[in-house]
Amino acid sequence: MKTNPKYIVFDGMDGSGKGTQMKLLQETFGDSVVFTREPGGTPFAEEIRTLALDNPLAGKSTPLNNFLLFMAAREELQQNLVVPALRSGKHVFSDRGDSSTYAFQLHGEEHEELLDVFTCTRELVFAEGNGRRQPDRYIVFDLPAHVARERALRDPRRVQNRFDLRNLNYYERVQTGFRKFAQHYPVVFVDAMQSREDVHRSVKEILAKEFAA
Ligand code: TYD
């Protein structure tokens, strides 16, 4: 049991190598950390994930509705996984988080008019005082947009959801989204052009500092 458990989000463009790094982190930290993902992580949130990512009807709905699906999954994850895990003294490492909503829905999809609703719903989901809190740190895997896209398209394990196969401009907007997010929230970028071992080493150094804080 940790006296000061941390809530860390890992994020990046599709093709950033995030999946590989999450696997390495699982091997390194094992059961001492609760690993989860967004959207998803609890049975109900996984249902929302299927709706948001795989159901073609979601693509025909409104930008606000799609945004709310990601937030709804996040609200569920907070209440039923993040808060209990932190309370039990475990660190929580999440594969994606609200940084993705900011980068993909507001910037990739070009709906910056959702900024106010983002700020407001984010505050509610992470409202302190009932055991919730915002992530202590966002670790974002960063690399040129065209490299991320090429890697994503080449990855045979990638299950193609309706967010894959976007054009280069989309990837560039998502990257801009992560950069803008970092102006407001505690983000550390990791150079994802390094070898997987060096990326992993960089992540462990960031985490060591975070755990010591
Ligand atoms: P990811 O978790 O990387 O899974 P996979 O390996 O199956 O692609 O991708 C989930 C997709 O969901 C990714 O394209 C980004 C998108 N997403 C959003 O658009 N908004 C969000 O808030 C989140 C959490 C994810």
Side-chain angles (χ1 to χ4, degrees):
M1 159 131 182
K2 315 270 183 315
T3 48
N4 186 15
K6 299 286 179 175
Y7 176 21
I8 315 278
V9 166
F10 299 84
D11 218 326
M13 285 176 281
D14 295 329
S16 64
K18 175 178 60 60
T20 305
Q21 293 300 322
M22 294 311 294
K23 280 200 200 96
L24 291 174
L25 287 168
Q26 289 195 4
E27 287 164 19
T28 303
F29 289 93
D31 291 343
S32 66
V33 167
V34 173
F35 285 86
T36 189
R37 68 173 181 179
E38 286 201 28
T42 72
F44 185 40
E46 289 292 329
E47 292 288 331
I48 303 174
R49 179 186 177 95
T50 307
L51 263 183
L53 297 184
D54 303 332
N55 192 322
L57 293 176
K60 296 195 176 112
S61 188
T62 65
L64 175 60
N65 229 349
N66 278 277
F67 167 93
L68 291 171
L69 282 176
F70 289 107
M71 269 303 174
R74 186 161 303 127
E75 164 70 5
E76 157 69 14
L77 182 73
Q78 280 298 308
Q79 187 65 20
N80 290 321
L81 186 140
V82 178
V83 171
L86 293 173
R87 278 216 175 107
S88 76
K90 288 208 159 190
H91 299 305
V92 176
F93 286 3
S94 180
D95 184 339
R96 297 196 188 278
D98 59 300
S99 35
S100 273
T101 310
Y102 191 98
F104 286 85
Q105 276 63 56
L106 272 60
H107 289 276
E109 304 286 333
E110 298 184 283
H111 288 292
E112 285 183 66
E113 76 279 6
L114 296 174
L115 179 60
D116 284 350
V117 71
F118 174 83
T119 310
C120 160
T121 49
R122 180 182 190 278
E123 271 177 23
L124 290 170
V125 169
F126 295 141
E128 294 192 16
N130 53 6
R132 298 172 180 224
R133 65 169 196 248
Q134 66 168 320
D136 297 294
R137 182 66 62 195
Y138 296 83
I139 298 178
V140 175
F141 300 104
D142 191 36
L143 73 177
H146 73 274
V147 180
R149 183 169 182 271
E150 279 156 22
R151 285 190 188 172
L153 296 185
R154 271 205 315 264
D155 183 355
R157 291 163 308 162
R158 181 162 284 279
V159 182
Q160 283 178 9
N161 60 45
R162 63 190 185 83
F163 288 85
D164 289 333
L165 305 173
R166 300 290 191 162
N167 65 28
L168 182 57
N169 287 343
Y170 185 93
Y171 274 72
E172 284 170 347
R173 290 197 300 273
V174 170
Q175 186 178 41
T176 302
F178 281 121
R179 300 236 156 100
K180 289 200 173 168
F181 184 82
Q183 292 169 7
H184 305 281
Y185 304 104
V187 173
V188 179
F189 289 100
V190 173
D191 177 6
M193 291 297 279
Q194 303 174 91
S195 69
R196 66 201 276 272
E197 290 76 18
D198 285 347
V199 174
H200 184 53
R201 197 169 304 123
S202 302
V203 170
K204 281 195 295 187
E205 282 168 15
I206 295 165
L207 290 172
K209 276 195 203 134
E210 196 57 47
F211 293 158

